[in-house]
Amino acid sequence: MGSVFENPMRGIAFKVASVVTFVAMQTFIKLAGTGIQPGQVTFCRSFFALFPIMAYLAYRGQLRSSFYTSNPIGHLKRGTLGIISMGLGFYGLIHLPLPEAIALGYATPLVAVVFAALFLGETVRIYRWTAVIIGLVGVSIVSWPKLTLFREGGVQTEQAIGAVTVLLASVLGGMAMIQVRKLVEEEKTSTIVLYFSITASVMSLVTLPFGWDILEFEPQLFLIAAGFCGGVAQILLTESYRHADVSTVAPFEYTSIVLGGVIAYFLFEEVPTSSMLLGTAVIVAAGIFIIYREHRLELQRRSARDLSA
């Protein structure tokens, strides 16, 4: 049995477009400024993402059916993990150089492999374990220079805290990915996407009493643009999986580090360090190897199904 996807190049194009849009979202959040509460950023990212998402679902005639769910508790769990991960990640994004925040975010799929073995009982063989360990070494190479800045004070301490929050965000993001894998067994992708944005919007309002800022026009516009980009990027990502399988499009996620580096240099005058470049190369190599192994295993499973049929 061959692949059910007939236009992988279109899938790759949608994936690259989603990466560009996600990086644009991150850029807008950094442009909004450093003094904004993470909960406020998270609300804008989630609430304004609903507009393109709901317009897209209405265009496909799926809006009404996407509101139906048989597992509201599952969506609540996924939303709770996702919203905390998002808030921590945004704090790190605001206080870290853009390429480093992107690189540390690559730890999420590595952590997801570990959690899949622990909580889903998936068989993870020596090849993938080795890739995960190597990838985490790369994460250490990127984060260690920042973690040594705790005693410096000022901006250096904020960057150290930012590195820790991004790492915590990756751990929670890995747990959220496991919850999504449970949800897809009984829920549509559109339902998962819609309910996450709704849940995140509502839950982020809990942080309102803790000091949201009254923003000027420009920072508010940047946050609205970030939310809109987040929704559009999610749509583009969904479309990419409609035209090509995951193993085909997933490696293109790593183009974000190149784009992020260019934007960081020209907009924020952030120059990548040697440790950041080395660590990122190690993380990307480990991630691509895991994607390759997943692809090989899926081919073996398909072959086994064909033989049994």
Side-chain angles (χ1 to χ4, degrees):
M1 182 178 69
S3 173
V4 298
F5 303 104
E6 298 180 354
N7 200 334
M9 292 305 298
R10 181 176 294 180
I12 291 170
F14 275 118
K15 174 64 176 180
V16 172
S18 77
V19 168
V20 171
T21 314
F22 270 127
V23 173
M25 177 199 78
Q26 294 171 311
T27 303
F28 282 129
I29 290 173
K30 283 190 72 69
L31 288 171
T34 59
I36 305 173
Q37 297 296 322
Q40 190 172 2
V41 177
T42 303
F43 171 78
C44 292
R45 158 64 179 89
S46 305
F47 178 74
F48 292 104
L50 280 169
F51 293 93
I53 290 173
M54 294 179 73
Y56 169 75
L57 294 177
Y59 170 76
R60 295 191 62 86
Q62 299 174 349
L63 183 58
R64 180 176 298 181
S65 62
S66 296
F67 278 99
Y68 173 78
T69 176
S70 60
N71 190 1
I73 300 301
H75 288 288
L76 182 61
K77 291 178 181 178
R78 187 266 187 271
T80 302
L81 292 168
I83 191 67
I84 298 174
S85 173
M86 192 184 294
L88 292 170
F90 287 158
Y91 181 90
L93 175 63
I94 290 170
H95 292 94
L96 283 175
L98 180 59
E100 293 185 16
I102 292 174
L104 292 176
Y106 291 157
T108 299
L110 301 176
V111 174
V113 173
V114 178
F115 288 154
L118 293 176
F119 302 123
L120 298 181
E122 290 190 2
T123 301
V124 179
R125 304 189 187 280
I126 186 64
Y127 296 104
R128 278 197 292 168
W129 278 126
T130 303
V132 168
I133 292 171
I134 293 174
L136 294 177
V137 169
V139 171
S140 300
I141 294 173
V142 175
S143 60
W144 184 251
K146 298 301 180 186
L147 298 180
T148 59
L149 298 176
F150 269 109
R151 298 180 181 179
E152 299 294 329
V155 174
Q156 286 77 11
T157 299
E158 289 181 348
Q159 288 194 4
I161 297 173
V164 172
T165 58
V166 174
L167 292 174
L168 289 175
S170 295
V171 173
L172 292 172
M175 297 177 69
M177 289 177 68
I178 297 303
Q179 186 61 37
V180 169
R181 290 171 69 170
K182 292 180 180 179
L183 284 171
V184 295
E185 296 177 358
E186 55 188 21
E187 299 281 88
K188 295 187 299 184
T189 302
S190 59
T191 302
I192 297 171
V193 171
L194 181 62
Y195 270 95
F196 174 66
S197 292
I198 293 173
T199 303
S201 299
V202 173
M203 294 184 68
S204 58
L205 288 173
V206 175
T207 65
L208 181 59
F210 296 96
W212 282 21
D213 300 312
I214 299 176
L215 301 178
E216 296 181 358
F217 175 76
E218 191 173 83
Q220 185 63 62
L221 184 63
F222 284 141
L223 291 183
I224 292 172
F228 190 85
C229 284
V232 172
Q234 191 65 55
I235 293 168
L236 293 170
L237 183 63
T238 301
E239 283 296 321
S240 74
Y241 294 142
R242 193 183 306 278
H243 296 284
D245 58 29
V246 175
S247 62
T248 299
V249 302
F252 292 89
E253 175 69 30
Y254 297 112
T255 58
S256 61
I257 195 66
V258 178
L259 180 59
V262 172
I263 291 174
Y265 180 78
F266 286 103
L267 283 185
F268 306 111
E269 297 182 350
E270 298 170 347
V271 180
T273 62
S274 57
S275 61
M276 179 265 165
L277 293 174
L278 175 61
T280 301
V282 174
I283 298 168
V284 170
I288 290 178
F289 182 78
I290 289 175
I291 294 167
Y292 169 76
R293 287 294 300 172
E294 291 286 352
H295 179 59
R296 297 298 302 173
L297 290 172
E298 178 60 26
L299 290 178
Q300 292 175 12
R301 286 191 287 266
R302 289 180 184 177
S303 177
R305 287 196 296 268
D306 290 347
L307 288 173
S308 64

